[in-house]
Amino acid sequence: MKQSVKDKIVITVVSVIIPIVAVIILNWFLQSKGYDYSSFDGKEIVKTLVGVWATLLGFMITSVSILVTLGGNEYVLAFRKSQHYHTVMYTNTITCVLMLAATIFCIVIMCVNIWNRICFNIFVFFLISTFVSLILSVYFLFFLVFKSR
């Protein structure tokens, strides 16, 4: 199996599968303690995070656009020929998709004005997955910068 395929599998597992497992474990733990989901005012936190996620989405789209349009420099040409370019683009794309989904989820929660166990679990999933995917994106970006110099 090629290294880029392995990287994409690892990125997908870390960004999506691990947060799903974390949500399942957290849900099991909270239910065993008899947690009342309605006592947590998630709608107010969602109202705050919609702006944060939308802003981060804008930054991630800008970074993808810059990576796509760069050219001419010997470092950029070498980077584009390597497998690292595809890994960075894949990581940034996954992060953008997760940020967009999180933003849409927040907007729906604000419009419908509901909060229950399912909303809580989806919220925790987006919270963990966007955080992890942002860390991966920054890691690969710094790896790119330090590896190319």
Side-chain angles (χ1 to χ4, degrees), residues 101-122:
T103 304
I104 291 170
F105 170 74
C106 289
I107 291 170
V108 168
I109 291 296
M110 289 186 318
C111 290
V112 177
N113 198 22
I114 61 166
W115 189 258
N116 54 27
R117 182 176 61 91
I118 295 170
C119 295
F120 177 82
N121 289 334
I122 294 170

Side-chain angles (χ1 to χ4, degrees), residues 28-122:
W28 172 80
F29 177 75
L30 290 177
Q31 281 187 343
S32 69
K33 298 292 181 185
Y35 181 73
D36 180 23
Y37 292 95
S38 62
S39 67
F40 177 71
D41 193 14
K43 290 180 276 189
E44 292 301 317
I45 295 174
V46 164
K47 288 178 185 176
T48 303
L49 281 180
V50 70
V52 173
W53 278 331
T55 303
L56 287 173
L57 175 63
F59 283 124
M60 291 306 299
I61 290 172
T62 302
S63 74
V64 169
S65 300
I66 289 171
L67 284 174
V68 167
T69 59
L70 281 178
N73 188 335
E74 65 184 66
Y75 291 117
V76 174
L77 293 176
F79 171 62
R80 280 193 164 188
K81 290 179 184 175
S82 73
Q83 292 298 324
H84 299 300
Y85 177 76
H86 299 291
T87 303
V88 170
M89 290 300 291
Y90 184 76
T91 306
N92 286 352
T93 304
I94 289 290
T95 303
C96 286
V97 168
L98 287 171
M99 292 284 176
L100 178 63
T103 304
I104 291 170
F105 170 74
C106 289
I107 291 170
V108 168
I109 291 296
M110 289 186 318
C111 290
V112 177
N113 198 22
I114 61 166
W115 189 258
N116 54 27
R117 182 176 61 91
I118 295 170
C119 295
F120 177 82
N121 289 334
I122 294 170

